Amino acid sequence: MAALNVLSQRYPPTSSFPYINLNNSFCNNGGANCKFSSLFNPNRISVHSSLSAQSKSSKPSPAALHFPKSGTPAGCGCSWMQESSICHNTAAGNGRQQGPLYSVLPTKPAEVSSVQDLYEFICSGPLLDKVGLTRESIAESIDKWLLYGSLLCRLFHLNDLYLNTNQKVRFYHYYIPVFVWCEDQISQHRSGYKEGEEIPPLVIGFSAPQGCGKTTLVFALNYLFSVTGRKSATVSIDDFYLTAEGQAKLREQNPGNALLEYRGNAGSHDLPFSVETLTALNKLTKEGVKMKLPRYDKSAYNGKGDRADPKTWPQVEGPLVAVLLEGWMLGFKPLPVEVVKAVDPQLETVNKYLEAYYDAWDKFIKAWIVIKIKDPTCVYQWRLQAEIAMREAGKPGMSDEEVEDFVSRYLPAYNAYLPTLYSEGPNGSDPKHLVIKFAGEANTKAGNNMNPCDSSGLNNRPQEVAEELPAILGGLLK
């Protein structure tokens, strides 16, 4: 098991996408091949001034990296990613489509100074040491970093050349390092099985308070898995909430307990259903084996919520390499009664329910990502920002007073269980693989104070983007 505490939506991309095979730098698009090797070539940025400076057969040492300056503004991204082209989308069966693409084969050499700037920016990230990355390993795989960054820009409808500092931090200091770490965890997991054995997917847990951006992180990771040829499934603990009928019974059984009046705290989940779902996902090891992923409708019954109609659940097909399970209380451990009562007397019942949660989902998780925050009260402000944005978009959202009431039902659990989560690691995790990282910790190497949890500047429309992915990939994979 491994645990990773990192900085700070669940909708998976639609099925059957073209994918990029990063082992040979080819992309498979319905039988049409295209090489990225000339676009993402680490040798191009590893030589002193040109490829003629050293043998083409020798691989340059990352320590000898040198980039000639050309006056290109620092931090501008990869300047070749701005060409327009006609692209083929044979997988979608629509022949050709004309439009601006930001990740097509170059028609001119890269502006190496901009690559140097991006390389240095990547190396300044605070997560690299914690996830086992070095300047040398980044130089060796710079082509993948460039590709991942370009794909994320397309996913969030951003231009590679005009990323602000916060967007660059979010992609190159957060999403991509975490993705590289997840890839390594999967490789370690799969290496433990013999050839010919069925390998269950690695379940990776993402634990973070509401508003930290874990759902958007999981959405981005799931997308990157899909385009690199690895099948993954995303599930939230929200999908395991009791039905509306079950929630009503829980409320009746605990009259006057505000923490169990609505969904959220331990006790409000259908644990047998979660075990059934995660067990079934672990068995998706073969081609053609399919199952539907449960989803919860938070808008049902005037916001009280209910399990969504199974007809609307998305379907996933094996073989899966990873299951991304996210939730605000993953890894919480029950505490002595006197401890929780000191925080809030109503928490005693919640604490009792929590005793069954390890067997319900924590034991399935073999790798952990925990997004750590310094002050749980910031959840209120994050939630308020989200609701304000929903109201401004013309969608129903909670009033400021309703947001305060909603968050107040979670704060006792945060105050009680987060200290243990951060000091001991998630329930069932291996402390030797636990890395502590605050969500709002300043990136002193890069000389900025940006918080990657802040999603400002990103177009967070996961459902819409997920529906557009086939067209996006058709443009990317020329």
Side-chain angles (χ1 to χ4, degrees), residues 207-214 327-328 371-373 379 382 414 418 422:
S207 179
Q210 298 121 310
C212 278
K214 63 183 177 299
W328 71 276
I371 304 169
K372 182 177 180 180
I373 61 174
V379 173
W382 289 338
Y414 286 140
L418 286 182
Y422 297 158

Side-chain angles (χ1 to χ4, degrees), residues 265-377:
N265 283 293
S268 63
H269 300 87
D270 187 339
L271 300 189
F273 180 53
S274 70
V275 172
E276 176 187 338
T277 301
L278 294 173
T279 300
L281 284 170
N282 264 333
K283 295 179 180 179
L284 286 185
T285 59
K286 297 180 180 179
E287 292 279 357
V289 180
K290 304 176 182 179
M291 68 170 288
K292 287 193 171 184
L293 298 174
R295 291 295 183 253
Y296 190 84
D297 182 4
K298 295 181 179 180
S299 66
Y301 292 95
N302 296 320
K304 292 184 178 180
D306 194 7
R307 192 167 298 159
D309 186 340
K311 295 179 181 178
T312 67
W313 295 359
Q315 183 172 262
V316 64
E317 179 180 349
L320 296 181
V321 299
V323 174
L324 311 180
L325 174 61
E326 57 104 341
W328 71 276
M329 55 171 286
L330 281 178
F332 282 12
K333 303 175 184 178
L335 298 172
V337 175
E338 59 272 16
V339 174
V340 295
K341 289 180 69 174
V343 175
D344 189 325
Q346 298 181 105
L347 201 58
E348 181 179 359
T349 305
V350 173
N351 191 64
K352 184 66 177 177
Y353 280 120
L354 189 59
E355 294 176 359
Y357 273 59
Y358 173 77
D359 288 331
W361 54 49
D362 287 350
K363 76 173 184 181
F364 289 91
I365 300 172
K366 306 304 180 184
W368 284 89
I369 295 176
V370 177
I371 304 169
K372 182 177 180 180
I373 61 174
K374 292 182 178 180
D375 182 6
T377 59

Side-chain angles (χ1 to χ4, degrees), residues 117-128 135 138 169 172-173 443-448:
D117 293 333
L118 184 58
Y119 170 77
E120 294 297 337
F121 183 83
I122 292 170
C123 291
S124 72
L127 277 182
L128 300 190
R135 293 177 65 91
I138 294 170
V169 166
Y172 294 103
H173 288 180
N443 182 357
T444 54
K445 287 185 181 181
N448 66 65

Side-chain angles (χ1 to χ4, degrees), residues 9-12 215-220 234 326 460-463:
Q9 262 173 328
R10 171 179 99 246
Y11 305 94
T215 306
T216 308
L217 167 65
V218 168
F219 168 65
T234 62
E326 57 104 341
N460 290 330
R461 299 178 302 158
Q463 182 60 63

